[in-house]
């Protein structure tokens, strides 16, 4: 068993004994991240890229150092391919609107999957309506995996973009993105990956993924809220128009026209999340000091234990893969006769924090034939005791509702 | 106080055996309610005899609190006039917004007094996020009556 229990002291919010099993929604922040942001704000903060004074230079340097750190972390060869956004949602909207409105037209197809988070679904619906392109979806198999045969059959010359989650926030499924990217490229389509659940939990190399765009958020990887990343392959970014206009993204402006700043700045209108970039930098340092492979191993071990123990709880059904093949540390469950909200309330009474509801993936819930699930998701600070508490809380729920 | 206060037997009974479930053949008023945050859904249909509710049906899915609250509500509003229903809804809302320390006591004017079984839902007050669940059916009923 991978022992990461030494990390727990870095997360003061866990001191009161909460069994925090909702990192899939947002992760907690370790002291080094909080301190890095605090130190920066106290000593080096000013707006970036515009002041000629020392503080602004220091601030700009810290902001750009964060960009280089992200590039290094995800294996990007060119740091200009790293764009800071407000989060994965903004990153995906930048692709859908910035790339989609420019490159999609009537008769084109956008191929997504049935297990997308609303953030990788709704922007494409909006762009499909505006461009006349159609939005098509790859279904999931009975065991909660992406149906690769259907995916292949749906590809064709009219498919201009394929967009897939790197890891399902509901099922934990990890689709074979490198394979999908290869197929997409063979048909001349761009490949987009919603990596919000993937990057925090495993070592990601954007070139190995084979994608053209990769989106993720800082707040799910021990960093602060308010900042995320869009990585884009340079030739894909060159096909992309800025999605927001404003300060800092321009080269020249007249009363009627403007020209864009270079990539990446043309995609970063307005004052960016500067302190948050410093926090994300510290979060990446922290993750790397543990080791991404070790984190993935740790999540997997906990997930395997959870899956094994949950089958013994009366009435529990797992939604998604029930073995450890190509899945991450997210376990969605339903209990016969007990609604997920009631599960979450009862678990909360035992200080176990899980997410209950549709997890911003309503089409997937419909396809699973459920209206809500309770979801436990694991991260570096979780340990077996959290699963003990989860299982005992679920048994308590079963008792209250008379589930046998 | 705690889970036993929240999940009283009468609530679990209405959850397992919801009353007046389904649809009316010729509803005179209806409305749909959704809690977009959690996905609970409810449809309420009402028929009148003069000013009084003669029939009511509820259809939907959701947690024990939203479903039992709606089920108890359907029993409570049958045979009541719009004015009486408005008073009932007012009492219900008042009950949901009382602070934990407030004593409902035996005062005949206490908010729960006219609510009967529905009083069992007062345990929900300790769980602020669940008040929306308890209120979903009632808010939807008001929409149906206003339509």
């Amino acid at each position: 068993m991978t022992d990461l229990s030494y990390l727990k002291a870095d997360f003061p919010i866990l001191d009161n004994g909460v069994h925090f099993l909702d990192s899939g929604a947002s992760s907690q922040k370790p002291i080094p991240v909080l301190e890095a942001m605090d130190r920066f704000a106290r000593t080096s903060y000013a707006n970036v890229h515009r002041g000629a004074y020392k503080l602004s230079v220091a601030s700009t340097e810290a902001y750009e150092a964060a960009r280089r750190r992200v590039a290094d972390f995800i294996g990007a060869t060119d740091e200009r391919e790293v764009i800071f956004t407000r989060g994965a949602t903004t990153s995906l909207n930048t692709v859908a609107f910035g790339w989609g409105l420019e490159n999609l037209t009537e008769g084109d197809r956008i191929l997504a999957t049935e297990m997308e988070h609303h953030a990788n679904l709704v922007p494409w619906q909006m762009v499909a309506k505006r461009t006349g392109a159609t939005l098509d979806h790859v279904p999931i198999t009975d065991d909660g995996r992406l149906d690769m045969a259907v995916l292949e059959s749906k590809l064709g010359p009219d498919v201009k973009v394929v967009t897939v989650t790197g890891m399902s926030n509901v099922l934990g499924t990890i689709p074979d993105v490198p394979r999908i990217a290869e197929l997409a490229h063979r048909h001349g389509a761009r490949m987009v990956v919603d990596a919000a659940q993937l990057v925090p939990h495993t070592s990601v190399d954007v070139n190995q993924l084979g994608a053209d765009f990769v989106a993720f958020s800082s707040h799910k990887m021990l960093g602060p809220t308010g900042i995320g990343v869009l990585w884009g392959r340079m030739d894909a970014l060159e096909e992309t128009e800025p999605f927001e206009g404003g300060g800092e993204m321009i080269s020249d402006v007249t009363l009627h026209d403007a020209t864009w700043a270079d990539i990446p700045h043309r995609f970063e209108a307005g004052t960016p999340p500067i302190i948050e970039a410093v926090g994300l930098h510290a979060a990446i340092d922290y993750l790397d000091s543990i080791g991404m492979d070790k984190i993935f191993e740790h999540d997997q071990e906990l997930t395997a234990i959870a899956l094994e123990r949950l089958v013994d709880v009366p009435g529990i059904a797992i939604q998604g893969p029930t073995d450890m093949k190509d899945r991450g540390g997210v376990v969605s469950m339903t209990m016969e006769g007990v609604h997920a909200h009631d599960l979450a309330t009862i678990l909360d009474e035992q200080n176990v924090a899980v997410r209950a509801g549709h997890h911003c993936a309503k089409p997937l819930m419909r396809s699973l034939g459920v209206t809500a699930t309770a979801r436990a998701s694991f991260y570096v600070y979780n340990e077996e005791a959290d699963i003990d508490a989860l299982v005992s809380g679920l048994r308590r729920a079963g008792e209250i509702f008379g589930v046998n | 106080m705690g889970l036993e206060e929240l999940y009283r037997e009468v609530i679990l009974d209405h959850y397992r055996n919801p009353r007046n479930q389904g649809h009316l053949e010729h509803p005179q008023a209806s409305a749909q309610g959704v809690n977009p945050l959690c996905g609970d859904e409810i449809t309420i249909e009402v028929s009148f005899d003069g000013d009084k509710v003669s029939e009511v049906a509820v259809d939907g899915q959701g947690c024990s609190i939203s479903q039992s609250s709606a089920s108890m509500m359907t029993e409570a509003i049958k045979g009541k006039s719009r004015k009486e229903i408005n008073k009932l809804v007012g009492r219900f809302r008042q009950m949901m917004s009382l602070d934990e320390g407030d004593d409902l006591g035996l005062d005949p004017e206490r908010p729960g007094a006219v609510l009967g079984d529905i009083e069992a839902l007062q345990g929900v007050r300790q769980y602020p996020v669940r008040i929306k669940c308890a209120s979903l059916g009632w808010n939807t009923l008001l929409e149906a009556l206003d339509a």
Side-chain angles (χ1 to χ4, degrees):
Chain A
M1 180 83 197
T2 312
D3 184 16
L4 298 182
S5 58
Y6 68 96
L7 299 174
K8 247 190 143 170
D10 291 336
F11 295 86
I13 204 165
L14 304 177
D15 286 352
N16 71 358
V18 63
H19 298 283
F20 188 75
L21 296 175
D22 196 22
S23 300
S26 198
S27 68
Q28 298 300 346
K29 325 299 174 199
I31 291 169
V33 168
L34 304 175
E35 285 183 348
M37 294 170 73
D38 185 71
R39 195 182 323 118
F40 173 75
R42 284 170 193 269
T43 61
S44 314
Y45 178 78
N47 211 331
V48 292
H49 297 137
R50 32 193 103 150
Y53 50 91
K54 288 192 264 321
L55 270 182
S56 177
V57 172
S59 195
T60 302
E61 174 44 37
Y63 181 69
E64 292 303 322
R67 193 192 308 280
R68 287 193 294 277
R69 186 67 182 93
V70 170
D72 172 60
F73 184 62
I74 60 174
T77 42
D78 185 342
E79 71 196 56
R80 294 174 305 158
E81 295 178 335
V82 172
I83 295 154
F84 285 128
T85 65
R86 286 201 308 277
T89 296
T90 310
S91 300
L92 291 165
N93 275 278
T94 301
V95 179
F97 286 88
W99 182 88
L101 287 181
E102 287 300 304
N103 294 282
L104 294 170
T105 180
E106 212 167 328
D108 288 345
R109 234 165 2 119
I110 303 160
L111 189 56
T113 85
E114 275 185 5
M115 59 178 162
E116 295 313 310
H117 187 282
H118 294 165
N120 197 26
L121 178 61
V122 179
W124 295 108
Q125 291 173 347
M126 295 162 86
V127 167
K129 277 184 192 140
R130 289 213 207 164
T131 58
T134 53
L135 178 57
D136 200 359
H137 306 278
V138 180
I140 54 164
T141 59
D142 290 342
D143 61 345
R145 298 182 195 280
L146 197 59
D147 194 325
M148 288 297 286
V150 176
L151 185 141
E152 283 199 50
S153 73
K154 280 183 182 276
L155 281 167
D158 56 335
V159 173
K160 294 289 155 56
V161 57
V162 178
T163 186
V164 173
T165 179
M167 172 174 143
S168 162
N169 69 310
V170 179
L171 306 173
T173 311
I174 299 177
D176 187 353
V177 171
R179 170 85 183 128
I180 299 167
E182 190 193 321
L183 291 167
H185 288 151
R186 200 181 294 165
H187 288 86
R190 287 291 186 189
M191 178 75 196
V192 183
V193 182
D194 170 5
Q197 299 290 339
L198 190 69
V199 168
H201 296 277
T202 186
S203 172
V204 167
D205 181 308
V206 287
N207 290 302
Q208 275 173 18
L209 276 186
D212 298 297
F213 295 103
V214 176
F216 57 97
S217 292
S218 147
H219 72 92
K220 291 192 204 293
M221 51 192 287
L222 309 182
T225 50
I227 186 167
V229 172
L230 171 63
W231 172 84
R233 198 176 294 287
M234 190 49 78
D235 63 317
L237 290 176
E238 279 163 357
E239 285 178 14
T240 308
E241 276 288 287
F243 161 57
E244 289 182 316
E248 216 163 307
M249 54 77 70
I250 47 85
S251 166
D252 189 24
V253 181
T254 63
L255 280 178
H256 294 286
D257 209 357
T259 52
W260 309 148
D262 288 338
I263 293 170
H265 303 292
R266 72 173 63 159
F267 300 112
E268 296 179 357
T271 296
I274 305 163
I275 301 173
E276 290 78 3
V278 170
L280 173 58
H281 188 156
I284 291 174
D285 285 346
Y286 188 88
L287 290 169
D288 258 352
S289 74
I290 306 166
M292 292 311 294
D293 292 341
K294 203 166 233 179
I295 291 171
F296 187 64
E297 231 174 79
H298 171 261
D299 290 356
Q300 284 232 311
E301 284 166 4
L302 286 180
T303 308
I305 294 170
L307 289 173
E308 195 184 306
R309 297 198 43 199
L310 287 169
V311 293
D312 291 337
V313 180
I316 286 285
I318 302 295
Q319 305 293 328
T322 50
D323 59 54
M324 289 312 300
K325 188 179 172 300
D326 303 327
R327 66 140 37 245
V330 171
V331 180
S332 262
M333 65 202 93
T334 50
M335 185 183 268
E336 181 73 34
V338 189
H339 192 275
H341 294 157
D342 294 310
L343 286 180
T345 293
I346 294 166
L347 287 167
D348 185 46
E349 284 291 297
Q350 332 252 325
N351 226 358
V352 179
V354 298
R355 182 75 178 272
H358 52 64
H359 316 292
C360 296
K362 288 190 92 167
L364 172 61
M365 305 304 277
R366 285 191 195 100
S367 135
L368 292 169
V370 298
T371 51
T373 73
R375 179 189 71 180
S377 48
F378 305 111
Y379 211 7
V380 294
Y381 33 68
N382 291 122
E383 50 197 351
E384 205 171 334
D386 298 323
I387 298 173
D388 294 339
L390 171 68
V391 168
S392 106
L394 290 171
R395 287 187 185 279
R396 175 94 176 92
E399 282 162 23
I400 290 172
F401 278 78
V403 178
N404 296 304
Chain B
M1 294 291 267
L3 291 174
E4 288 74 15
E5 283 297 310
L6 182 64
Y7 295 115
R8 292 186 185 182
E9 199 44 54
V10 58
I11 289 177
L12 295 176
D13 177 49
H14 276 269
Y15 176 51
R16 294 192 191 109
N17 310 297
R19 323 292 201 265
N20 303 304
Q21 210 185 20
H23 291 276
L24 299 181
E25 213 158 299
H26 301 290
Q28 289 170 295
S30 71
Q32 282 186 316
V34 179
N35 184 342
L37 289 178
C38 59
D40 282 8
E41 293 168 357
I42 216 159
T43 303
I44 296 198
E45 296 170 346
V46 185
S47 288
F48 299 93
D49 183 5
D51 182 45
K52 294 189 168 163
V53 169
S54 57
E55 280 184 293
V56 54
V58 56
D59 184 48
Q61 53 78 24
C63 67
S64 63
I65 303 302
S66 71
Q67 301 304 301
S68 65
S69 181
S71 171
M72 290 190 273
M73 179 188 78
T74 62
E75 289 197 314
I77 64 169
K78 263 196 196 172
K80 293 217 162 57
S81 68
R82 283 168 190 263
K83 201 177 159 196
E84 288 167 323
I85 290 173
N86 279 337
K87 191 177 171 195
L88 198 64
V89 175
R91 286 294 177 93
F92 174 79
R93 287 184 165 173
Q94 206 184 337
M95 182 176 86
M96 280 296 132
S97 61
L98 284 174
D99 293 330
E100 196 177 333
D102 288 359
D103 183 13
L104 289 174
L106 294 173
D107 176 359
E109 285 299 306
R110 73 191 197 277
V114 295
L115 293 172
D117 277 358
I118 298 165
E119 263 192 270
L121 283 165
Q122 56 182 278
V124 174
R125 282 178 299 145
Q126 294 171 66
Y127 300 87
V129 292
R130 304 300 296 276
I131 291 174
K132 271 195 212 130
C133 308
S135 309
L136 179 63
W138 298 78
N139 292 340
T140 309
L141 173 69
L142 282 191
E143 262 183 60
L145 295 182
D146 286 348

